Amino acid sequence: MTLNRSTGVPVSRQIYQAIREAILSGQLGSGVRLPSSRALAAELGVSRTTTLYAYERRRDEGYLEGRAGAGTTVALLRVPRTPSVAPDTAGARPRLSAQGTRLAGIRWWTRGAETAEARPRAFPVGQPALDAFPTDLWTRLLVRRSRRSSHALLSYQSPAGYRPLREAIAGYVGLARGVRCTPDQVIVVSGAQAALSLTARLLLDQGDDAWVEDPGYYGARGAIVSAGATPVPVPVDREGLDVDAGRRRAPGARLVYVTPSHQFPLGVVMSLPRRLALLEHARDAGTYIVEDDYDSEYRHVGDPLPSLQGLDSAGRVIYVGSFSKVLFPALRIGFVVVPEHLVDAFVSGHRFAAVHAPVLEQATLADFIAEGHFARHVRRMRALYAHRAATLAGAVHAELDGVLSVAPPAAGLHLIGWLPPETDDAAAAVRASRHGVEVQPVSAHALEPYERPGLLLGYAATPEAEIVAGVRRLAASLSARPVSATPRRARPPAPARPRTR
């Protein structure tokens, strides 16, 4: 707030006009607490009587509220939103580059809640159990690391990332996932999406083809399009990516994106013959394979499966991992393990893309792993997620028998509920959202029409009581009215059902 004493307008009037404009423009939202009249007077260099007059007038008009002990706050008002663009340009389309137009046109399913304070809804996909994360422990490690931070830690770091964290990651993926690498091959980035984007920019040229699983992760398609390349959909069956179909569709593709340990979203595991066939194709065609190992820690039946990278003897596999689903998404730390001959290129590319991820968080994560907290957390979450998956499957069988067909997943953070044939799963997801349930349609993850309608239901982030209540709300949404022109109540044939993630 600035005052102009040369205009002749009384200072008290300038103050209350400024308050009114700030409220009507949305700069001051409902419930925001204003400075005390004494503090505002001192800041503006006016008498307290002047600021008291301005506050009292706006209280009389209903803009402000004053309560004993709570100070002066903005009243709860429904203020009309001001257009963010001038009237003469309100209907104009944004001017984007050709590549920007392609990127903006990629389909992706919007999450339900956008604010951190929003009440969690059943059943968000890809979200870990934040209610079970050891927040107090993490805070202690973060504070300890902050207090011990040297000048070296506060300065710029290697674009490859904090060395102790790279050493910890190399040791972990080697033991847990069978990845063969040294710390020099590990590059720390700001999440798996950053790893995919960096890889696509370094390895793809304008117009190149890249295989993507279909249905599959839309983030991979976005990274490929961002590099100016073309994502080529390759179907997924019970054995994972159909390598023969990929050869027929784009034999000269420069890149292949796969989730072999737990295909997203269908959950199938790539068979050993398919893995060997893909590695052979990559070696013979000079293609690189991007292995996205997004949630391999959480296998509910048996031990975690070895990585595809561990079978690679030709240096064709680029391994991508992230801590978003193991710890918490806001951490924004992921990593990419590259063949030795690509290390210099990736380090240089990351230098000009992001310099490095936040170092304090990297150092804290290194401590979290080195002191054994990470391994203990994964063990606890594996048991918790298996229980929540069974709870969800049981609730669906009890409440939605004949409407939604599910099986307890062997791994991952979500399962798929298969709908009757010819159901519009996107419409079903929208209706579920209106009933307070967040699900994703299988069709939203497919480039080509997918034959089986289904809904992705995440269970990791949803407590057991909310799982049961969420299933009941989902049942209400699916029974409210038909979601297809010719709804059928028969279960999808069991042999065609893929294992879910």
Side-chain angles (χ1 to χ4, degrees), residues 394-436:
V396 170
H397 285 309
E399 301 287 341
L400 286 162
D401 187 43
V403 179
L404 210 61
S405 176
V406 301
L413 308 179
H414 80 266
L415 57 74
I416 295 183
W418 297 106
L419 292 160
E422 301 179 17
T423 302
D424 185 342
D425 57 3
V430 170
R431 287 178 44 218
S433 179
R434 293 172 184 156
H435 282 73

Side-chain angles (χ1 to χ4, degrees), residues 51-225:
T51 55
L52 276 173
Y53 175 78
Y55 276 11
E56 289 172 358
R57 180 160 182 178
R58 286 304 172 214
R59 275 198 294 267
D60 292 342
E61 294 172 354
Y63 288 95
L64 301 178
E65 294 177 343
R67 296 190 301 273
T72 301
T73 59
V74 177
L76 298 177
L77 301 171
R78 291 182 60 87
V79 179
R81 298 193 63 175
T82 304
S84 58
V85 294
D88 59 338
T89 61
R93 300 181 62 182
R95 187 183 181 97
L96 301 176
S97 66
Q99 188 170 316
T101 301
R102 293 177 65 207
L103 188 62
I106 294 176
R107 293 191 305 161
W108 59 287
W109 196 257
T110 305
R111 292 190 183 277
E114 294 292 338
T115 62
E117 284 72 26
R119 180 176 179 270
R121 304 204 303 175
F123 300 94
V125 175
Q127 288 273 14
L130 300 182
D131 60 315
F133 181 72
T135 306
D136 291 342
L137 170 62
W138 179 266
T139 301
R140 288 198 301 272
L141 295 177
L142 185 63
V143 170
R144 185 186 70 184
R145 177 55 69 174
S146 298
R147 289 173 176 169
R148 295 179 181 177
S149 293
S150 63
H151 292 296
L153 193 62
L154 299 178
S155 184
Y156 288 107
Q157 302 292 309
S158 165
Y162 183 59
R163 180 74 187 188
L165 177 58
R166 294 161 61 201
E167 293 171 350
I169 291 172
Y172 169 70
V173 297
L175 290 173
R177 305 295 300 117
V179 174
R180 298 183 297 178
C181 70
T182 66
D184 291 333
Q185 293 175 253
V186 177
I187 299 165
V188 179
V189 295
S190 299
Q193 189 64 45
L196 298 178
S197 296
L198 177 63
T199 301
R201 288 197 304 272
L202 289 173
L203 299 180
L204 294 173
D205 287 322
Q206 187 82 22
D208 281 346
D209 288 335
W211 296 2
V212 293
E213 298 168 321
D214 195 41
Y217 177 50
Y218 45 68
R221 302 199 294 266
I224 291 166
V225 170

